[in-house]
Amino acid sequence: MSEDDDIVFVAEESAGESATPELAWRVLVVDDDEGVHEATEFALGGTRILDRPLKLMHARSGAEALALLRSEPEMAVILLDVVMETDDAGLRTVDAIRNDLKAVNTRIILRTGQPGHAPETDTITRYDINDYKTKGELTRNKLFTALTSAIRSYDQLLRMESSRRGLEKIISASNQFIAEQGMQAFAEGVITQIASLIGVTPEGLVCAAAEEPHGDFGPRQYRVIAAAGRFRNMMQQRLSDFEDRRIAYALADVLVRRQSIINPHSVVLYFRKSEREGFAAFVDSAVPIADVDRHLLNVFCTNIALCAKNVDLVSELRREAFVDRQTELPNRTAFIGQLSVHARQPGRKPMVLAVIDVDQFAVVNDILGNSYGDDLLRAMAQRLRAAFVADAFIARLEGDAFALLGPPDRVNPETLRRCFAEPFTIQDVSHPVSVCAGFVPLEMPYREGAEYLKDGYLALKRAKTAGIGQSVTYSRDIGLESRERATMLRDLRIGFDDRQLHLVYQPLLELGSGRMVGVEALMRWRREDGKLVPPDRFIPIAEQSGLIVNLGRWLLEESFSALGRLHAAGLADLRMSVNISPVQLRQPGFPELVRNALGDTGTDPRFVEFEITESVALGGLEVALEVLGALRGMGIALAIDDFGTGYSSLSYLERLPASRLKIDRSFVHSMSREGQGRRIARTIIRLARELGMRVVAEGVDDPAVLPLLEQFGCDEVQGYHFAEPMGEDALLAWHAAVPR
Ligand code: C2E
Ligand code: MG
Ligand code: MG
């Protein structure tokens, strides 16, 4: 099959007699000799060249010729006298035609009175002059031959130009299409391109096979996937439902034959995506479609079909980039895009963004397994979709975090609470779920989507600190606080480099004997102005930045070398307790860091204990256990700090390789009064002993609790009643002063 067979031309039934006037070749005669005009008219009157009549036009001087050409750009040939108002008026005119008017396709035949006035060869090539003749030579026959060859070459130039333009369009269209949104935008582009190739206004349709929803193999259904001009309201219509049967038949014919057809008043092109798959475009034309370059249309069809394949590919990639596979919800990138689009809308309606996070999801994953966790997330996505799909944009941001964007009467703490009021049934088990959420009203002035989302996370964080099932709406204060934290972080970085940080040590005493068995290293930051910042304020800030890495390294080296000095000062088997936060623990290469610090300071790990909190498990128990195992392997002991305040789970307590447990000071304080506090303290101590752990009571500032602690079986105590945290020298002095 030759490539041109891809396109079938259908002749107009009532041939010829159309209302549009027949196209003529325009020929301009420029001469100051009136006789020449008359002779030319006479010689060419009624002549047809390449199947078209000639239209003769006349100018008596170079200036007149240029004026006429400005208003009549499509001149095929100019018969130009060389000597007119001046000796070189003709050549000056040629210069203006080529260089000023930029008429490059128009053919020029020079006529000279005498052979001596013939132009130089380089003039002929420079100005692209087709031919020159002496006036005497221009007999009717010779004129006809000269004009025919000039017109033929003009026609070819025009065709070449139009196909070059067509190709350029196709190429630029292809590039543009790839960047477009998807098949619909692409198909709309196809209509525009066809229309401009055949020189009509873009009115048409693109039809493609509809996706077979249930994979049934019935007859293929075709639908409109793009429509332009007066067909605009036919989007999504089925081919079989078209009112205009003429168009329906034309499209069906092309889709079945897989072949393009050019009708006198329409073009129906077939685009072959694969052996089986393709789509068809119909473009209508009120006027008969003039000569289309079939080769060009073929190039167009092949190229566009290729593009369509790429569009499918890009759509697939976009899906990959914007849709979360697990829940089939839009992902974070898509959500940020949606936020930005919305924020940019002028006169937009009030909207609220919500960032939602499942309470204690990591715990669920740990205890019930990953597949359970996955099922829960999918069920949550479904629940959110059912509750909000009608009026909010729903996305999964990451892990257990979801997001909503919708009007304030739909997206608010109350609707969210209602959405999660019912428990979920996962793997036949009923599972109540609570969520925390941060809400952000999208207010003027316009900001980037990512910035709103950041505010959402700030509000969410507030909600999480408030407890489970909490909601917080973003306010200026929250933003302010986060800026304050940023300032503090900057100061902390500088302070760290300026050695504004130091360690103090608080004794741990054996209950009963009162012997100092250990010290706990506690970090202090004294700012330039002398103010002390409490560690529980600046450590979390360091943790949120990379600073914690350097801070942690310094902490280890500092406390280990202090231990060495204290040992040397006579506190022979003193133990050093160092607080390690979950963030530090999860920092990659942490065990390595510890090993190096031990080696560099020559520290015996048997005298080192790390205090961790139960919250290490919240970031994933397995990971934590691996690191803790490595530390235990080095010979470092572990203590569980602040026990009773975190997410306490017996299964954690049993699996964490800790040998000591520190009862949180809040329980110790409540022991001063009769009541539940005492019972809790007693239970914790019993529990610890049951698990083979030794127990420390921290925050002992009231000596009245000591007999009770002793009675319950507590091993060690720490608190202001005995000693406050102190510098190294003060500690040695304190120790020396204690009566033994
Ligand atoms: P923590 O590990 O539970 O440390 C014990 C805290 O209780 C210390 O507060 C200590 O000064 C205080 N304390 C001791 N005795 C008493 C008492 O009798 N009554 C009362 N009310 N409090 C007492 P500090 O030094 O302000 O530290 C607060 C928290 O900051 C620590 O709690 C620990 O979680 C964290 N922290 C301190 N230093 C470091 C460190 O170097 N690294 C890490 N990761 N965290 C640290
Ligand atoms: Mg501690
Ligand atoms: Mg503590």
Side-chain angles (χ1 to χ4, degrees):
M1 195 200 272
S2 103
E3 58 180 11
D4 279 4
D5 288 345
D6 283 350
I7 301 178
V8 175
F9 282 81
V10 179
E12 182 134 39
E13 276 137 35
S14 55
E17 292 1 290
S18 64
T20 42
E22 203 179 3
L23 284 171
W25 304 116
R26 290 153 195 268
V27 177
L28 173 63
V29 184
V30 189
D31 209 304
D32 55 354
D33 178 351
E34 195 51 45
V36 172
H37 290 279
E38 282 163 17
T40 313
E41 276 284 354
F42 178 75
L44 297 176
T47 307
R48 291 178 74 89
I49 291 178
L50 300 183
D51 219 23
R52 283 199 207 169
L54 301 182
K55 182 180 180 197
L56 286 187
M57 306 177 86
H58 302 274
R60 269 78 193 176
S61 68
E64 199 187 319
L66 290 175
L68 196 140
L69 283 170
R70 278 199 181 86
S71 57
E72 294 277 351
E74 280 171 39
M75 199 62 69
V77 186
I78 303 175
L79 295 166
L80 182 63
D81 189 12
V82 176
V83 183
M84 291 179 290
E85 53 265 53
T86 59
D87 261 8
D88 60 350
L91 289 181
R92 278 170 183 276
T93 310
V94 176
D95 185 74
I97 291 170
R98 293 290 190 237
N99 295 321
D100 301 343
L101 301 183
K102 308 266 184 247
V104 291
N105 297 328
T106 302
R107 301 294 82 205
I108 299 173
I109 299 174
L110 288 181
R111 298 205 279 192
T112 59
Q114 301 89 34
H117 281 105
E120 304 294 332
T121 325
D122 73 315
T123 314
I124 292 177
T125 42
R126 179 147 50 98
Y127 291 125
D128 182 24
I129 289 167
N130 232 55
D131 209 350
Y132 77 95
K133 297 273 181 282
T134 57
K135 287 185 189 175
E137 273 186 288
L138 289 176
T139 60
R140 187 181 189 279
N141 265 348
K142 284 201 173 145
L143 193 55
F144 180 79
T145 320
L147 270 182
T148 306
S149 91
I151 284 174
R152 180 169 283 130
S153 112
Y154 170 75
D155 187 39
Q156 270 168 0
L157 284 174
L158 274 197
R159 279 173 192 275
M160 264 161 58
E161 190 180 77
S162 97
S163 57
R164 182 179 52 78
R165 270 202 230 114
L167 284 172
E168 265 170 16
K169 260 184 206 155
I170 291 169
I171 288 164
S172 86
S174 320
N175 293 337
Q176 182 192 329
F177 286 160
I178 302 293
E180 287 292 353
Q181 292 279 332
M183 198 58 195
Q184 188 190 326
F186 170 75
E188 275 164 17
V190 169
I191 300 174
T192 320
Q193 290 308 311
I194 298 172
S196 93
L197 274 181
I198 58 178
V200 300
T201 46
E203 300 230 323
L205 296 168
V206 175
C207 269
E211 296 212 346
E212 285 149 33
H214 309 296
D216 54 48
F217 293 97
R220 294 204 127 200
Q221 257 307 340
Y222 291 95
R223 273 182 199 280
V224 177
I225 59 161
R230 67 193 160 88
F231 301 101
R232 191 152 283 287
N233 55 5
M234 288 175 70
M235 252 332 262
Q236 287 300 329
Q237 233 183 64
R238 286 196 303 201
L239 191 56
S240 50
D241 297 341
F242 278 23
E243 251 171 50
D244 190 331
R245 298 317 295 162
R246 178 182 65 100
I247 301 177
Y249 284 132
L251 276 164
D253 193 27
V254 160
L255 284 165
V256 170
R257 282 162 53 172
R258 295 166 199 232
Q259 197 174 46
S260 300
I261 294 181
I262 313 277
N263 293 302
H265 279 275
S266 62
V267 191
V268 196
L269 298 183
Y270 183 74
F271 302 90
R272 187 192 308 268
K273 279 208 278 183
S274 67
E275 229 9 85
R276 273 196 73 221
E277 230 196 322
F279 60 99
F282 170 89
V283 172
D284 214 1
S285 167
V287 293
I289 294 164
D291 258 4
V292 247
D293 185 331
R294 43 163 94 198
H295 183 69
L296 195 61
L297 277 185
N298 254 328
V299 175
F300 180 74
C301 288
T302 330
N303 201 284
I304 288 298
L306 204 76
C307 281
K309 270 199 237 172
N310 288 339
V311 169
D312 286 349
L313 208 72
V314 170
S315 306
E316 187 55 28
L317 287 176
R318 268 176 184 271
R319 241 183 82 72
E320 207 59 64
F322 292 113
V323 177
D324 169 55
R325 282 278 141 147
Q326 197 173 19
T327 59
E328 293 291 319
L329 284 177
N331 64 11
R332 168 197 286 268
T333 317
F335 190 73
I336 291 178
Q338 188 70 19
L339 271 175
S340 292
V341 165
H342 179 79
R344 230 177 270 137
Q345 252 162 34
R348 64 201 195 193
K349 290 199 203 81
M351 284 286 218
V352 174
L353 130 83
V355 181
I356 304 161
D357 186 276
V358 186
D359 291 324
Q360 278 150 0
F361 182 74
V363 178
V364 171
N365 248 350
D366 270 346
I367 297 178
L368 300 168
N370 283 337
S371 101
Y372 187 93
D374 289 352
D375 285 355
L376 177 60
L377 287 177
R378 269 192 292 272
M380 289 189 57
Q382 224 165 31
R383 178 78 66 89
L384 283 169
R385 217 181 263 129
F388 294 101
V389 77
D391 31 30
F393 187 86
I394 312 161
R396 180 188 182 202
L397 299 176
E398 81 237 293
D400 59 338
F402 294 86
L404 294 175
L405 175 68
D409 61 320
R410 290 293 300 126
V411 176
N412 57 52
E414 181 50 28
T415 52
L416 196 64
R417 198 196 54 74
R418 254 185 279 134
C419 174
F420 290 103
E422 287 292 310
F424 288 83
T425 305
I426 310 292
Q427 299 176 4
D428 294 330
V429 181
S430 170
H431 186 129
V433 164
S434 78
V435 297
C436 278
F439 291 86
V440 187
L442 266 58
E443 273 158 1
M444 294 298 279
Y446 158 73
R447 293 185 301 152
E448 283 297 329
E451 291 178 51
Y452 286 117
L453 192 59
K454 212 163 75 193
D455 293 349
Y457 273 104
L458 283 179
L460 173 66
K461 209 153 141 204
R462 275 284 177 103
K464 292 207 92 110
T465 19
I468 62 167
Q470 299 298 308
S471 288
V472 167
T473 299
Y474 178 83
S475 68
R476 225 176 268 279
D477 284 353
I478 294 178
L480 214 65
E481 196 203 85
S482 94
R483 267 196 296 283
E484 268 169 20
R485 291 167 72 95
T487 318
M488 187 182 268
L489 174 61
R490 197 198 53 208
D491 292 352
L492 182 59
R493 279 185 203 283
I494 299 169
F496 178 64
D497 289 340
D498 280 358
R499 301 174 180 277
Q500 288 173 15
L501 294 182
H502 65 277
L503 293 181
V504 287
Y505 306 91
Q506 187 178 31
L508 279 85
L509 313 173
E510 195 173 59
L511 191 57
S513 73
R515 197 170 65 90
M516 174 164 73
V517 286
V519 291
E520 176 176 3
L522 294 160
M523 216 185 284
R524 294 291 176 262
W525 176 20
R526 191 179 292 282
R527 301 183 69 137
E528 226 176 356
D529 57 8
K531 284 205 186 98
L532 267 178
V533 186
D536 26 22
R537 279 211 61 202
F538 70 84
I539 289 174
I541 289 175
E543 282 174 349
Q544 281 163 21
S545 71
L547 188 59
I548 194 65
V549 180
N550 288 335
L551 206 67
R553 182 179 304 130
W554 169 81
L555 167 69
L556 294 177
E557 282 166 4
E558 186 68 17
S559 55
F560 291 175
S561 34
L563 178 63
R565 287 189 297 269
L566 292 171
H567 279 174
L571 303 174
D573 48 6
L574 190 79
R575 180 177 87 220
M576 176 66 72
S577 294
V578 183
N579 293 284
I580 303 293
S581 72
V583 177
Q584 277 176 289
L585 205 70
R586 276 199 304 273
Q587 166 195 313
F590 182 70
E592 202 49 41
L593 190 74
V594 175
R595 202 189 312 275
N596 291 340
L598 287 172
D600 292 349
T601 53
T603 303
D604 183 343
R606 279 180 306 150
F607 297 108
V608 176
E609 183 168 82
F610 283 171
E611 295 189 3
I612 55 167
T613 59
E614 295 156 287
S615 57
V616 288
L618 292 182
L621 184 60
E622 299 308 324
V623 188
L625 284 179
E626 205 179 301
V627 180
L628 295 176
L631 296 173
R632 287 287 304 120
M634 288 176 214
I636 291 175
L638 298 174
I640 297 174
D641 203 353
D642 304 341
F643 185 78
T645 56
Y647 183 84
S648 305
S649 149
L650 276 181
S651 70
Y652 285 175
L653 199 55
E654 214 176 18
R655 293 188 64 190
L656 292 175
S659 52
R660 208 180 306 272
L661 190 146
K662 297 183 82 173
I663 311 178
D664 189 66
R665 49 190 180 276
S666 58
F667 297 113
V668 178
H669 290 159
S670 66
M671 281 175 72
S672 299
R673 300 176 305 276
E674 274 303 325
Q676 211 181 11
R678 271 185 202 175
R679 283 197 298 278
I680 294 178
R682 189 175 55 196
T683 312
I684 291 175
I685 294 170
R686 281 214 186 130
L687 177 70
R689 299 190 72 90
E690 198 68 35
L691 291 168
M693 289 193 239
R694 296 175 70 77
V695 185
V696 185
E698 65 175 19
V700 179
D701 42 18
D702 175 8
V705 303
L706 289 171
L708 279 173
L709 286 171
E710 210 163 353
Q711 184 196 324
F712 294 163
C714 181
D715 302 284
E716 292 171 15
V717 284
Q718 173 188 6
Y720 295 165
H721 169 65
F722 304 101
E724 292 197 11
M726 300 169 270
E728 234 174 282
D729 294 339
L731 178 75
L732 288 171
W734 174 86
H735 180 252
V738 174
R740 255 160 286 216

